[in-house]
Amino acid sequence: MSDERTTPGGPERGTGTGTGPADGGPEPEPIRFFGTCWLHHDHGYALRRVAVAAGSLLLTVVGALILRFAFQGLAIGEVGPLVTVLVIAGFAVCSALAFRRTWDGFVRRPDPSSASAADRSAQSLLLIGFLGSLFAYFCRSLIEAPGEKLHRAEYAAARSRHERRRTARTGNPAAKRAKNDQNAKSPKGKRK
């Protein structure tokens, strides 16, 4: 059996002294493409942000070109202006929804109680709006590692909880118990 506990700020490891994961405190949760370098902005953090921003922008452009070919297929098929407008409006709405949902995912954790059938059915809409998700990833990587603010807040909260627990249990409980036992055994009238 392991003495590892999981907290929202990351897993807590064994025991030790000092600050950080070596003292048994929470470890930072890794972020996709960044690992844990987001914590101290080291190990090529800036280069990773540039690569993620460029990659997501490139994928957004490629996706837009693929959709353009699809729209040209509709034009070649002569489906009519109403269908073309509906398809364009559908992709625009789905992209906007996907952008908003992806952006919110970088700022706050989804509520586990709201994970329902409606969320599962919305996944197809988000898949159609893949351009919005890719563009949200690009925009967020210009500011920070996507999800860094959320992970940093959770890690700071987990560290403060760990420090409070650690300072609350300082000292030797066995010595305190022996002292209390000794005081209980000595008669109160014989003290000098």
Side-chain angles (χ1 to χ4, degrees):
M1 189 105 171
S2 172
D3 61 8
E4 181 178 308
R5 296 182 306 271
T6 303
T7 62
E12 291 186 12
R13 305 260 182 235
T15 60
T17 58
T19 60
D23 71 346
E27 291 185 3
E29 187 177 343
I31 297 176
R32 181 182 296 149
F33 305 122
F34 291 90
T36 59
C37 73
W38 60 266
L39 185 61
H40 300 292
H41 293 188
D42 56 355
H43 302 296
Y45 172 81
L47 184 61
R48 290 177 191 219
R49 270 192 45 203
V50 168
V52 166
S56 59
L57 184 62
L58 179 67
L59 288 174
T60 304
V61 169
V62 168
L65 288 175
I66 291 171
L67 285 180
R68 177 160 168 68
F69 291 138
F71 292 137
Q72 284 178 348
L74 289 175
I76 291 171
E78 297 177 1
V79 293
L82 178 64
V83 173
T84 304
V85 168
L86 286 176
V87 169
I88 290 172
F91 271 105
V93 168
C94 289
S95 292
L97 289 172
F99 181 91
R100 180 66 182 175
R101 187 175 183 109
T102 304
W103 191 269
D104 284 345
F106 296 144
V107 178
R108 71 184 70 83
R109 295 257 183 216
D111 186 19
S113 64
S114 69
S116 63
D119 288 341
R120 285 187 291 267
S121 66
Q123 286 179 350
S124 60
L125 292 175
L126 299 177
L127 183 63
I128 293 169
F130 69 97
L131 289 179
S133 291
L134 288 170
F135 192 64
Y137 213 81
F138 166 72
C139 291
R140 196 61 183 193
S141 63
L142 293 177
I143 300 168
E144 64 180 6
E148 179 181 344
K149 184 177 182 180
L150 172 66
H151 284 76
R152 192 171 296 282
E154 288 177 347
Y155 180 69
R159 288 293 309 158
S160 66
R161 280 193 309 271
H162 174 72
E163 288 300 319
R164 281 195 310 267
R165 282 194 314 261
R166 202 173 113 198
T167 57
R169 60 180 178 217
T170 57
N172 185 354
K176 289 179 185 176
R177 191 172 347 151
K179 185 177 178 182
N180 289 339
D181 290 344
Q182 185 181 19
N183 287 340
K185 289 181 183 178
S186 65
K188 294 183 180 184
K190 293 186 179 181
R191 283 190 177 169
K192 293 183 181 180

